[in-house]
Amino acid sequence: MSQIVYRSPQTRFDLVKIYKEIWAYRSFLLNWTKRELEIRYKGSFLGIIWSFFNPLLSLIVYFFVFSRITNIQIPNYLVFLFSGMICWFFFVQVVTRATSLMSDSSSILKKVYFPQEILIISVIVSGAINFLISFGLVVLMMLITKAPFTLHIFWVPIILALQCLFLYSTSLLLTSLGALIKDLSPIIPTLISLMFFVTPIVYSVEAISKKYAWVLNSQPIANLISLYRDVIHLGVHPDWILLIYCFVFNIVWYLFCHWVFHRLRFIVYDLS
Amino acid sequence: MNSQEIAIKFDSVTKIYHKNLKALNLRLLFVNAGSDIKPILPIKSLDNISFEIFKGETVGIIGQNGSGKSTALKIIAGISSPTNGSVMIDGKITTMLELGSGFHGDFTGRENIFLNGSLFGMSNYYLSSKVDEIIAFSELESKIDEPVRTYSAGMIARLGFSIAIQTQPEILLIDEILAVGDIAFQEKCLCKFEEIKKSGKTTVVLVTHSLEQAKEHCSKIIWIQNSKLQGVGSPSDLVDEYDTYMHGKNSK
């Protein structure tokens, strides 16, 4: 079986071929993700159990700060807060890794050929695993606090898939830009904490003056949180218009980021 | 063995690097940086190179340091891309540009076999059937369950080679890796190459500075000099010419 490949300066946009190749490397994706998850806790006493504890501890801290110390009047505030928090944690985890991904992995990028998207997918997969663990904790807490609970919660995997697509596209963009612009990676933490306040995580969109509501409505993470809240906190069907909007937005956003990534791929290589 | 089938074809390939081109930083935005910025100079690493490599050949690329040999290999591998021209490749490629890249020091040798092997595109299922063979070839039975950070450079190279050779490549790219490891292991690697060559299916492209190796193992030599193609031919013709050239250069 022979397959002829051409290497030329033009960028290719052959999605089928790219994802076929990624599929052929699925063992590497699995091993690399396992490594990502293990490295973080290697040598610590609790090991992989930390990945349960860490989100739990931060959820508890946020709960006490925002429900006991400040005075927010939202029914079932615990569930309200956590359904936004888990989405936010996932976003932060991926974005902080993405900008430095190229320089962290330059030792293999320069020596072995493999589809580079796998490094990003692996970050997304390990983030999604953490998300699912935290989501399990949220469900557990809903049971304990006897919060109302409907079958609409089964929308969560679909919204999670949308979030994964959004984070994957954004990471494609950030990895190549991060390698090209060295000042991007140090400024990301500041941008993230700024974004925390313009995202309705601890407060609700309704609490914001109408003048600024557009800022939240045009923000992809705020949209995702609003979808999560519909199905987890309110227990209603996700808003159809918002769902379709998110879907279309993410497809367009993905195509754009994919194009940038493949445009910059070799420039980034020659720079590093 | 059909010697007429082309495995790799370079069609007027040019690769340009830019000297002094660095990643952007904020200084370029905020400071009028014209004063101390060095001009960006295009450097041709490969200049209009064309050649053909047929299936089953063992080809040695020779040339001085910095002449563009490794760039050519990286373009074949798909790690880098040509600036102009095109390259056609027919066959599954395995690159051995550096042995043991992608190893993680905190993981054991055995875990790294899976990590590194899958990086070369092998499946976990295939690797678990080959793991004993890999360990036996690397002669690291006693250390295989210890973290790789405790290994010496030679041991890492041995394990890396043993993994990469299992890929059953149709095209094997090798960049001076045989310089690592002790003589005994080098011999073993060369034996393995001979074995691969005898099967007649694998095309081997190797960058080397050892003219003896080039003479003994290669069926064709590509000589790249100052980014340009100096000659393609049989080892008996080109190696001696290259040798004379290099010595003449030194005595000047």
Side-chain angles (χ1 to χ4, degrees):
Chain A
M1 187 195 75
S2 66
Q3 48 182 95
I4 298 181
V5 188
Y6 291 92
R7 308 220 191 281
S8 59
Q10 286 93 40
T11 341
R12 274 155 199 289
F13 211 74
D14 191 343
L15 288 176
V16 177
K17 209 173 139 198
I18 289 171
Y19 286 98
K20 248 186 175 167
E21 193 177 24
I22 291 176
W23 177 246
Y25 275 80
R26 60 191 178 278
S27 287
F28 177 55
L29 175 62
L30 182 76
N31 297 347
W32 192 258
T33 310
K34 254 171 42 195
R35 168 188 175 275
E36 283 261 320
L37 289 170
E38 274 175 35
I39 278 175
R40 205 175 317 158
Y41 304 107
K42 196 129 192 158
S44 65
F45 171 60
L46 290 177
I48 204 84
I49 300 171
W50 272 117
S51 55
F52 284 92
F53 266 129
N54 259 339
L56 183 68
L57 291 176
S58 6
L59 289 178
I60 289 170
V61 168
Y62 277 95
F63 176 66
F64 275 103
V65 170
F66 289 104
S67 75
R68 294 295 146 93
I69 298 170
T70 62
N71 184 23
I72 293 174
Q73 299 301 326
I74 293 172
N76 275 318
Y77 185 66
L78 184 79
V79 181
F80 174 87
L81 179 69
F82 289 2
S83 51
M85 246 13 249
I86 54 175
C87 172
W88 178 253
F89 281 155
F90 187 13
F91 169 75
V92 172
Q93 192 193 336
V94 171
V95 166
T96 40
R97 278 293 274 119
T99 38
S100 58
L101 200 58
M102 286 282 188
S103 47
D104 292 349
S105 340
S106 65
S107 63
I108 57 170
L109 287 174
K110 301 193 96 172
K111 300 295 178 190
V112 189
Y113 172 80
F114 64 98
Q116 299 175 353
E117 284 96 336
I118 287 190
L119 297 179
I120 297 170
I121 298 176
S122 146
V123 174
I124 307 281
V125 170
S126 62
I129 291 172
N130 281 341
F131 176 95
L132 288 173
I133 292 169
S134 320
F135 177 63
L137 292 173
V138 172
V139 172
L140 198 70
M141 278 185 201
M142 287 170 80
L143 291 172
I144 294 170
T145 59
K146 299 203 172 64
F149 205 117
T150 65
L151 285 178
H152 288 297
I153 206 157
F154 287 105
W155 277 93
V156 165
I158 292 167
I159 303 168
L160 176 62
L162 270 179
Q163 186 176 7
C164 287
L165 178 61
F166 172 71
L167 293 179
Y168 174 59
S169 320
T170 310
S171 305
L172 285 174
L173 189 71
L174 286 177
T175 40
S176 28
L177 288 184
L180 204 61
I181 307 166
K182 292 290 176 199
D183 286 295
L184 193 61
S185 153
I187 205 160
I188 283 283
T190 317
L191 289 180
I192 287 176
S193 48
L194 179 74
M195 224 180 126
F196 180 81
F197 294 103
V198 293
T199 307
I201 299 163
V202 297
Y203 54 84
S204 72
V205 188
E206 287 76 34
I208 299 297
S209 106
K210 286 271 180 296
K211 230 165 77 187
Y212 300 107
W214 63 272
V215 179
L216 300 185
N217 291 330
S218 58
Q219 206 243 75
I221 288 294
N223 291 336
L224 284 165
I225 288 180
S226 155
L227 288 174
Y228 281 122
R229 288 229 166 106
D230 282 348
V231 300
I232 302 174
H233 176 242
L234 297 175
V236 296
H237 192 285
D239 187 40
W240 270 116
I241 297 173
L242 188 57
L243 197 63
I244 292 165
Y245 164 76
C246 280
F247 190 75
V248 174
F249 169 83
N250 276 307
I251 299 278
V252 175
W253 179 237
Y254 165 71
L255 291 174
F256 169 72
C257 295
H258 177 95
W259 178 78
V260 172
F261 182 79
H262 282 269
R263 246 1 261 272
L264 295 181
R265 201 156 80 91
F266 290 116
I267 301 177
V268 164
Y269 169 78
D270 290 344
L271 277 176
S272 50
Chain B
M1 187 174 107
N2 185 355
S3 61
Q4 291 313 303
E5 265 185 89
I6 293 174
I8 300 166
K9 185 186 162 111
F10 266 54
D11 192 2
S12 37
V13 170
T14 299
K15 174 74 189 179
I16 297 173
Y17 283 110
H18 294 275
K19 198 184 176 188
N20 299 331
L21 179 68
K22 291 210 184 79
L24 301 170
N25 63 36
L26 287 179
R27 199 181 59 160
L28 295 171
L29 269 179
F30 293 124
V31 184
N32 184 7
S35 53
D36 61 334
I37 287 219
K38 294 174 194 154
I40 292 172
L41 304 169
I43 304 273
K44 277 188 182 169
S45 179
L46 292 176
D47 190 357
N48 199 17
I49 288 195
S50 305
F51 59 79
E52 284 169 0
I53 293 173
F54 296 107
K55 286 190 179 168
E57 279 187 314
T58 300
V59 177
I61 304 184
I62 55 174
Q64 278 172 279
N65 288 335
S67 59
K69 304 180 302 274
S70 296
T71 307
L73 270 198
K74 281 179 177 171
I75 288 176
I76 300 173
I79 300 171
S80 187
S81 81
T83 313
N84 271 310
S86 76
V87 178
M88 187 215 84
I89 290 138
D90 185 359
K92 199 179 82 171
I93 299 176
T94 293
T95 44
M96 292 197 204
L97 299 190
E98 184 186 88
L99 292 173
S101 45
F103 277 6
H104 194 283
D106 284 339
F107 291 97
T108 66
R110 196 183 293 275
E111 286 169 320
N112 271 302
I113 289 177
F114 285 89
L115 192 60
N116 192 254
S118 58
L119 176 61
F120 283 107
M122 291 182 271
S123 71
N124 284 340
Y125 177 75
Y126 178 77
L127 281 165
S128 43
S129 70
K130 290 285 179 187
V131 72
D132 293 330
E133 203 178 314
I134 293 171
I135 296 169
F137 191 84
S138 68
E139 300 167 17
L140 286 167
E141 286 89 348
S142 57
K143 290 214 61 151
I144 201 70
D145 289 312
E146 282 175 44
V148 161
R149 68 182 136 78
T150 64
Y151 288 23
S152 70
M155 288 158 89
I156 287 177
R158 259 150 67 183
L159 187 59
F161 182 87
S162 314
I163 297 168
I165 206 69
Q166 288 296 339
T167 48
Q168 298 181 323
E170 288 164 322
I171 298 172
L172 184 58
L173 308 175
I174 302 165
D175 191 358
E176 293 175 64
I177 48 159
L178 295 180
V180 230
D182 50 30
I183 302 285
F185 194 73
Q186 278 191 31
E187 292 282 310
K188 201 170 172 179
C189 294
L190 290 172
C191 280
K192 191 79 187 171
F193 285 141
E194 289 299 321
E195 203 180 295
I196 289 173
K197 268 167 60 187
K198 275 200 196 99
S199 76
K201 284 191 178 141
T202 309
T203 313
V204 182
V205 182
L206 101 156
V207 164
T208 183
H209 282 294
S210 154
L211 297 180
E212 268 173 55
Q213 261 178 31
K215 251 183 175 168
E216 193 179 339
H217 297 283
C218 299
S219 54
K220 190 194 232 172
I221 296 289
I222 293 172
W223 176 7
I224 298 178
Q225 182 67 36
N226 293 332
S227 317
K228 290 196 177 65
L229 190 66
Q230 185 81 10
V232 181
S234 70
S236 49
D237 298 340
L238 271 183
V239 168
D240 291 334
E241 199 187 324
Y242 176 71
D243 206 18
T244 327
Y245 174 86
M246 291 300 278
H247 280 102
K249 209 174 153 148
N250 283 340
S251 58
K252 245 184 238 170

